[in-house]
Amino acid sequence: MKIDILTLFPNMFDNFLTESIIKRAINDKKVIINIHNIRDYSKDPHKKVDDYPFGGGEGMVLMPQPIFDAVEHLKTPDSYIILMTPQGIKYNQKKAYELKDKKHLIIICGHYEGFDERIRTLADTEISIGDYVLTGGELASMVVTDSVVRLIDGVIETNSHLKDSFNNNLLDYPTYTRPADYKGLKVPEILLSGHHENINMWRHEQQLKRTKERRPDLLEED
Ligand code: ADE
């Protein structure tokens, strides 16, 4: 998979791309991630990327030209174009699985007080990572990238993400490691029993219990 991210703040991605699972996935050639500075595509002599809103109002608006040109430059028949915005559809694990099967993602990070409405016409989908407003789409694009890359075959063990929270609309079960008794807080006996069938049953019960208690809305989703 290839992911091209369009941003006004490329440096925000430095640590993201050079640590942990993402770094390993890049080194193992499971994914190619390119960060593009939107400003580099500006045709303005001063590399301007934003302007005042028509009709007046607060703040600056991202102009269409640099984004249109960047997308035109990067787009191929395999591209799936995502616009990060709080007005998009709310992101979840199901969408992450959908995106992991795309060959090429182009992710546009909005910034400042907004972007020219015509930029929307470029996008195959608009994604929000939650009902709150960030200063820009950068963190949101990292959330999407991280959650998709870890699902690519061979990036982490398949068993590891099959048991993740949200698969089958259930939260994950509780896990413990040594010691079996820490300051009087004891690991459930069943996990020390070595009886795998019972352990699996207990884990499934715990998933249901947790989901009912914490996220009953997930049990109503299809
Ligand atoms: N840009 C600003 N806020 C955002 C959000 N919640 N999701 C996606 N992009 C955003």
Side-chain angles (χ1 to χ4, degrees):
M1 172 187 276
K2 186 171 157 198
I3 305 178
D4 284 299
I5 301 177
L6 304 182
T7 171
L8 285 171
F9 300 96
N11 294 344
M12 282 181 74
F13 293 83
D14 289 352
N15 292 340
F16 174 63
L17 297 178
T18 55
E19 296 285 350
S20 187
I21 309 279
I22 301 295
K23 172 187 173 181
R24 206 178 64 206
I26 294 168
N27 288 346
D28 293 349
K29 308 210 167 4
K30 303 282 183 199
V31 65
I32 296 168
I33 304 179
N34 298 317
I35 309 298
H36 304 270
N37 192 337
I38 293 169
R39 205 171 288 282
D40 291 343
Y41 290 90
S42 171
K43 287 197 172 124
D44 179 84
H46 306 291
K47 296 280 168 204
K48 201 167 125 89
V49 290
D50 54 8
D51 212 331
Y52 295 99
F54 279 126
E58 290 295 303
M60 302 292 271
V61 177
L62 212 49
M63 303 189 301
Q65 177 274 314
I67 310 263
F68 269 73
D69 282 10
V71 168
E72 197 170 308
H73 178 72
L74 298 168
K75 196 175 168 175
T76 72
D78 288 329
S79 305
Y80 187 76
I81 302 173
I82 302 169
L83 181 62
M84 302 311 307
T85 160
Q87 297 178 19
I89 55 154
K90 213 189 281 176
Y91 193 60
N92 60 20
Q93 190 68 10
K94 188 166 162 234
K95 188 75 184 168
Y97 272 104
E98 253 171 68
L99 296 180
K100 124 187 161 125
D101 292 326
K102 307 282 183 201
K103 287 203 178 87
H104 181 210
L105 301 179
I106 298 177
I107 308 182
I108 305 168
C109 306
H111 221 277
Y112 298 116
E113 278 74 17
F115 46 79
D116 188 287
E117 189 67 16
R118 291 163 290 187
I119 290 170
R120 291 213 139 92
T121 63
L122 295 170
D124 293 303
T125 191
E126 299 183 17
I127 292 180
S128 161
I129 61 161
D131 291 340
Y132 41 82
V133 181
L134 302 163
T135 54
E138 282 72 18
L139 287 171
S141 76
M142 288 186 232
V143 167
V144 169
T145 302
D146 186 278
S147 60
V148 170
V149 169
R150 69 189 286 284
L151 297 179
I152 297 173
D153 288 347
V155 170
I156 58 171
E157 274 184 54
T158 312
N159 273 345
S160 181
H161 62 71
L162 285 182
K163 73 159 200 57
D164 280 342
S165 284
F166 306 115
N167 280 326
N168 308 317
N169 287 349
L170 292 176
L171 297 181
D172 201 1
Y173 53 75
T175 52
Y176 297 85
T177 186
R178 278 182 290 192
D181 183 337
Y182 182 68
K183 296 186 175 177
L185 299 169
K186 293 199 175 63
V187 172
E189 278 298 324
I190 190 153
L191 296 178
L192 312 174
S193 69
H195 194 303
H196 291 293
E197 216 173 295
N198 286 351
I199 290 173
N200 285 340
M201 264 163 52
W202 179 85
R203 285 179 167 162
H204 188 63
E205 280 161 23
Q206 292 295 314
Q207 285 191 284
L208 281 169
K209 183 166 172 275
R210 276 210 161 172
T211 312
K212 268 187 207 147
E213 280 166 9
R214 300 179 182 210
R215 294 293 307 276
D217 57 300
L218 290 177
L219 297 171
E220 278 143 35
E221 280 178 22
D222 49 37

